Amino acid sequence: MKSVICIYPQDKSTDFLLPVYEQLEQMPNFVGFRFNTITSPQTKELYSSTNFDKESLLVFLGHGASNRLYGSVDEKGTKQELFNKDNTDHIRNLDFFCIACRSNEFAHNHFQNYIGFGDITSDFSEIEAERNLGDSHYMNWATEEDLSVFQQEFTGAIVDAIRLTNCKSLSSIYKMLKLCFNKRIATLLVNKNISNYRHIADMFFDVTNDIECNHIHNTRINE
């Protein structure tokens, strides 16, 4: 039976994704890397091919950009660069499910089989930074409470997709992700019981549109 490996660097700004990690933990042959990647000696294990069976599904939870994935944050608030083009050779052939900003671009450049996301506005400090340094009216409707609602719904949709597919394949996860996000959108628009429900639904619409899946072969996980 194949492994599901999850890399989830400790970072307060991504703590809202913990239910995703906990759902993955329930799967057979789960391997988790959940620690401060700056201070933990375990970080070196992330670069060893012996820890990544070639038939595994690799899940990354955290922050990213088009050319890198980030680890934990140092004392100055700077994100550690964890993965880039120079240190991914040992994981390139794994099925890759990456829940991070612009991970669709990163995965496209480094993996054959992957699910990646576009921009994800999940931290209110990102909105504040944009308002202070760029557009003072950026997402002027949004409050910390609105972002908290988005975080909960975003995480809930991913948890549902994992639970319902049992991560059998990237294609099944992708299809279920789209379905679960669309259900969240429909619920927000029908119930109308959440402040700024329309704007939050629009955020989910953008996230759903940007999810990208590339699946050359039909690797099956836990079958």
Side-chain angles (χ1 to χ4, degrees):
M1 190 173 290
K2 299 168 186 177
S3 298
V4 174
I5 303 168
C6 183
I7 299 174
Y8 182 24
Q10 287 183 345
D11 178 349
K12 288 183 179 179
S13 68
T14 59
D15 280 350
F16 71 94
L17 292 172
L18 184 59
V20 176
Y21 186 84
E22 292 174 338
Q23 183 65 40
L24 291 168
E25 268 188 313
Q26 298 179 32
M27 301 186 66
N29 290 345
F30 172 82
V31 179
F33 295 96
R34 170 70 170 154
F35 45 78
N36 186 313
T37 56
I38 296 175
T39 61
S40 175
Q42 286 182 273
T43 301
K44 63 182 179 182
E45 297 177 15
L46 301 179
Y47 305 112
S48 172
S49 60
T50 60
N51 293 315
F52 297 92
D53 182 86
K54 65 180 181 179
E55 300 294 329
S56 300
L57 169 69
L58 174 60
V59 183
F60 181 87
L61 308 176
H63 288 293
S66 61
N67 61 349
R68 70 198 69 182
L69 297 177
Y70 293 105
S72 300
V73 180
D74 66 19
E75 295 178 353
K76 296 181 180 179
T78 303
K79 295 186 184 75
Q80 172 199 25
E81 187 171 313
L82 193 63
F83 291 109
N84 55 42
K85 63 181 178 64
D86 297 320
N87 59 13
T88 54
D89 286 347
H90 64 299
I91 55 177
R92 286 178 187 271
N93 293 323
L94 303 183
D95 283 359
F96 188 47
F97 179 20
C98 190
I99 304 167
C101 277
R102 301 183 70 179
S103 55
N104 51 7
E105 298 176 47
F106 180 83
H108 177 78
N109 292 324
H110 300 289
F111 293 85
Q112 284 190 327
N113 301 292
Y114 64 85
I115 296 172
F117 286 76
D119 286 320
I120 307 168
T121 304
S122 60
D123 189 342
F124 192 71
S125 65
E126 297 172 5
I127 296 175
E128 291 181 313
E130 182 62 31
R131 290 173 180 173
N132 292 332
L133 301 175
D135 181 2
S136 60
H137 298 291
Y138 179 70
M139 292 181 67
N140 58 1
W141 57 270
T143 65
E144 288 191 63
E145 183 178 349
D146 293 322
L147 261 291
S148 178
V149 171
F150 174 79
Q151 289 176 344
Q152 293 173 18
E153 296 293 323
F154 178 82
T155 300
I158 295 172
V159 168
D160 287 346
I162 292 170
R163 177 176 53 82
L164 292 169
T165 63
N166 205 33
C167 293
K168 290 181 178 179
S169 69
L170 284 178
S171 58
S172 67
I173 297 171
Y174 172 72
K175 291 173 184 177
M176 191 57 68
L177 275 175
K178 300 280 277 191
L179 177 61
C180 290
F181 278 122
N182 284 327
K183 283 185 175 181
R184 300 273 169 165
I185 292 171
T187 299
L188 284 166
L189 295 178
V190 171
N191 291 346
K192 303 179 181 181
N193 58 355
I194 293 176
S195 178
N196 290 316
Y197 68 89
R198 166 63 70 176
H199 292 293
I200 297 172
D202 286 342
M203 290 177 68
F204 275 112
F205 183 77
D206 291 338
V207 166
T208 304
N209 277 349
D210 288 340
I211 300 174
E212 184 178 322
C213 180
N214 193 62
H215 200 209
I216 294 174
H217 56 75
N218 294 316
T219 299
R220 295 288 176 175
I221 308 298
N222 289 333
E223 280 194 331

